[in-house]
Amino acid sequence: MKPWHYFFAMRADDLALIRKLPLFVEMADTQFEHLTAAALLQRFPPHVLLIKEGEMPDFLHIVVDGSVELFATHEERETTIDIIHPLATFILAAVIRDEVYLKSARTLTDARILMLPAERVREVFGCDAAFARAVVNELAIRYRGMVRALKNEKLRNTAVRLANWILMSDQRQGGAGKVTLMCDKRTLASQLGMTPENLSRNFSLLGKHGIRNHGREIIIEDRTALMAFAQPSLLIDG
Amino acid sequence: MKPWHYFFAMRADDLALIRKLPLFVEMADTQFEHLTAAALLQRFPPHVLLIKEGEMPDFLHIVVDGSVELFATHEERETTIDIIHPLATFILAAVIRDEVYLKSARTLTDARILMLPAERVREVFGCDAAFARAVVNELAIRYRGMVRALKNEKLRNTAVRLANWILMSDQRQGGAGKVTLMCDKRTLASQLGMTPENLSRNFSLLGKHGIRNHGREIIIEDRTALMAFAQPSLLIDG
DNA sequence: CGCAAAATTGAACCCAATCAATGTTCGTGG
DNA sequence: CCACGAACATTGATTGGGTTCAATTTTGCG
């Protein structure tokens, strides 16, 4: 019987891929080797808990493949904080500060995660200026992502959030006016901060604003109407 | 007639104070001089708009004295993102990334703000490793602050947010069980993400949970009851 | 084909915002 | 020092967005 996870030694081609990440591309070879010598590249099935809020960081995680949900719980309630897509890190701030995780992480899909020992990340961060600068950039991007998320949450109602999510997704999928859901609707609802029931109602509400939805296909029939309803903003949606 | 703002040249003792900030304490003298040579230390009255979302950053701002509110607007709605207290920076991420502000800033009180030219911050950031590391620390702290704010918003109702705010304020004011409001209640309501009416109702609701409120004095009469209601968490309140 | 999970739909409820009216505080000028 | 006005604060009534609970339909999959 197979174990539920699979370890991979870092192979040359994996290393080459990682090396090209903004986070590592500028750093010195010796530091990069120090960082990756004890690294793990690990494959996970969907819905696996990777880290738990409140624990101390052991590894800096990098999503190489698949997607990862960051979420938080408190008093029986749970909320999605962010979704991480390939070639981005998560829990970088906790690793740098060497403080407890503020959120948990679970895989949404099959995923490959690169894990760098937190201790070494901090060591290299302390002595490799190029790496330190790259970390700043990554953190600044994530910080701004959080600000956007907070604005999205506090300044828009659920229907408008959905409308903007559709516009963004369409853009990411090529702008053809046809969006295909990559997950089930209850997961989408959680990402958008609403209940599945409410998501369902919002889809039918958006029927009045240029959207037709059938199963996992969302079709933008009237982009002008949708835009008018969504009022997308560069200062929220990026 | 006096102008509404007052410029100050950087004086020796101001410089010495700034130099001791975590952000600058480790950096090289020459870099520090380069950074502060063109700096401004400026005094503002309350309720002055310092920066506007959507504009490009000219200066890195550091609150030396007083407090500053970061807020965002969208479609007639407005929401407080954060309150900055002395010896902290704001809009650091925008300066580093050289991208538009995602939020506006206004003084809440009389305030002294140190302004460093954004261009020079980026220059020094690129060549002074100690400064780059300090920037990371600052950003990581702010990032985690945003995560906490998002959790506070999404996982708690308004009454519980108020209860936790009282507990935090009490702690900051010495833990004597008596909190004095530093601003009027409409400002507090906005900080906590609720209407003044709702804040008022929540104060009276907290009467059932160990709080007595009169004017600008909040007295914790039964800390146990308040804690039971607030359920404070290190993973949200810090 | 049949079952379990997901999705939709309807009804009742809850938290918080809004609207409206009243009471309070505080700064100002007489 | 008092009187007054304006902003702030409280209280009540109403509305609304969203959740919850419950029942039904659809989907996907062995």
Side-chain angles (χ1 to χ4, degrees):
Chain A
M1 179 175 154
K2 281 186 188 178
W4 59 271
H5 57 270
Y6 309 81
F7 290 93
F8 283 80
M10 292 293 293
R11 290 181 333 213
D13 54 342
D14 287 328
L15 273 179
L17 179 73
I18 300 304
R19 187 73 165 107
K20 291 208 178 69
L21 293 187
L23 205 53
F24 304 113
V25 70
E26 302 250 21
M27 73 191 299
D29 280 329
T30 55
Q31 305 298 351
F32 183 70
E33 278 158 29
H34 182 60
L35 209 51
T36 52
L40 298 172
L41 185 60
Q42 205 170 342
R43 189 180 290 279
F44 298 93
H47 310 300
V48 170
L49 188 66
L50 300 173
I51 64 175
K52 249 170 74 181
E53 57 184 317
E55 298 185 345
M56 292 295 289
D58 296 321
F59 295 93
L60 173 62
H61 294 234
I62 300 171
V63 182
V64 177
D65 227 58
S67 57
V68 170
E69 178 186 18
L70 304 184
F71 65 101
T73 45
H74 182 65
E75 308 270 304
E76 319 290 288
R77 307 181 110 284
E78 172 178 319
T79 187
T80 301
I81 305 286
D82 204 357
I83 309 281
I84 309 292
H85 294 285
L87 297 192
T89 63
F90 57 97
I91 56 151
L92 177 54
V95 169
I96 292 296
R97 304 267 320 150
D98 197 18
E99 291 173 355
V100 294
Y101 300 133
L102 295 180
K103 37 194 158 41
S104 304
R106 67 165 83 97
T107 54
L108 283 175
T109 63
D110 278 298
R112 277 196 311 161
I113 311 288
L114 174 65
M115 297 158 73
L116 308 177
E119 186 53 44
R120 295 207 178 185
V121 172
R122 283 190 295 272
E123 280 167 26
V124 173
F125 167 71
C127 69
D128 187 301
F131 182 63
R133 283 193 293 274
V135 167
V136 167
N137 248 294
E138 176 86 5
L139 268 181
I141 290 171
R142 304 231 148 271
Y143 173 80
R144 287 167 68 84
M146 279 297 106
V147 172
R148 289 178 200 279
L150 196 56
K151 289 172 69 171
N152 196 32
E153 182 70 23
K154 292 180 82 171
L155 295 171
R156 284 172 169 164
N157 64 26
T158 55
V160 175
R161 286 207 294 277
L162 173 59
N164 279 287
W165 181 89
I166 292 172
L167 284 170
M168 296 251 300
S169 300
D170 178 53
Q171 200 173 312
R172 260 191 320 226
Q173 292 185 16
K178 197 179 85 176
V179 175
T180 305
L181 275 195
M182 293 307 172
C183 58
D184 58 22
K185 286 190 178 174
R186 50 180 48 245
T187 306
L188 175 61
S190 159
Q191 289 176 31
L192 292 172
M194 63 186 94
T195 57
E197 296 94 321
N198 199 14
L199 176 65
S200 191
R201 290 182 179 108
N202 281 328
F203 266 122
S204 87
L205 172 71
L206 289 187
K208 297 185 183 61
H209 300 282
I211 287 298
R212 216 182 56 221
N213 167 233
H214 194 269
R216 293 202 163 183
E217 295 246 313
I218 304 164
I219 291 165
I220 303 176
E221 288 190 317
D222 183 346
R223 188 177 299 268
T224 310
L226 183 59
M227 299 266 291
F229 180 78
Q231 296 283 347
S233 160
L234 284 175
L235 300 177
I236 300 180
D237 311 293
Chain B
M1 178 175 153
K2 281 187 187 176
W4 58 272
H5 58 269
Y6 309 80
F7 289 93
F8 282 81
M10 291 293 293
R11 290 181 333 212
D13 54 342
D14 288 328
L15 274 179
L17 179 72
I18 300 304
R19 188 71 165 109
K20 291 209 179 66
L21 294 187
L23 205 53
F24 305 113
V25 71
E26 302 251 20
M27 74 190 299
D29 280 330
T30 56
Q31 306 298 350
F32 182 71
E33 278 158 27
H34 182 59
L35 209 52
T36 51
L40 298 171
L41 185 61
Q42 206 169 343
R43 189 180 290 279
F44 297 94
H47 311 300
V48 170
L49 188 67
L50 300 173
I51 63 174
K52 249 171 73 181
E53 58 184 316
E55 298 185 344
M56 292 295 288
D58 295 322
F59 294 94
L60 173 62
H61 293 236
I62 299 172
V63 181
V64 177
D65 226 56
S67 57
V68 170
E69 177 187 18
L70 304 183
F71 65 100
T73 46
H74 183 64
E75 309 269 304
E76 321 288 291
R77 307 181 111 286
E78 173 178 319
T79 187
T80 301
I81 305 286
D82 205 355
I83 309 281
I84 309 292
H85 294 286
L87 297 193
T89 62
F90 57 97
I91 57 152
L92 177 54
V95 169
I96 292 296
R97 304 267 320 148
D98 197 18
E99 290 172 355
V100 294
Y101 300 132
L102 294 180
K103 37 195 159 37
S104 305
R106 67 164 83 97
T107 54
L108 282 176
T109 64
D110 277 298
R112 277 197 311 161
I113 310 288
L114 174 65
M115 297 158 73
L116 308 177
E119 185 53 45
R120 295 207 176 183
V121 172
R122 284 190 295 272
E123 280 168 24
V124 174
F125 167 71
C127 68
D128 187 300
F131 182 62
R133 283 193 292 274
V135 167
V136 166
N137 248 294
E138 176 86 6
L139 268 180
I141 290 171
R142 304 231 149 272
Y143 173 80
R144 287 167 68 85
M146 279 296 107
V147 172
R148 289 178 200 279
L150 196 56
K151 289 173 69 172
N152 196 31
E153 182 70 24
K154 292 179 82 171
L155 296 170
R156 284 171 169 165
N157 65 26
T158 55
V160 175
R161 285 208 294 279
L162 174 59
N164 279 287
W165 181 88
I166 292 171
L167 284 170
M168 297 251 298
S169 300
D170 178 52
Q171 198 174 314
R172 259 190 320 219
Q173 293 185 16
K178 196 180 87 175
V179 175
T180 306
L181 275 194
M182 293 309 172
C183 58
D184 57 23
K185 287 191 177 173
R186 49 180 48 247
T187 306
L188 174 62
S190 158
Q191 289 176 31
L192 292 172
M194 63 186 93
T195 58
E197 295 94 321
N198 198 15
L199 176 65
S200 192
R201 290 182 227 284
N202 281 328
F203 266 122
S204 88
L205 172 72
L206 289 187
K208 297 186 183 58
H209 300 282
I211 288 299
R212 214 183 57 222
N213 167 232
H214 194 269
R216 293 202 162 182
E217 295 246 316
I218 304 165
I219 292 165
I220 302 176
E221 288 191 319
D222 183 347
R223 188 178 299 268
T224 310
L226 183 59
M227 299 266 291
F229 180 79
Q231 295 284 344
S233 161
L234 284 176
L235 300 178
I236 300 181
D237 311 293

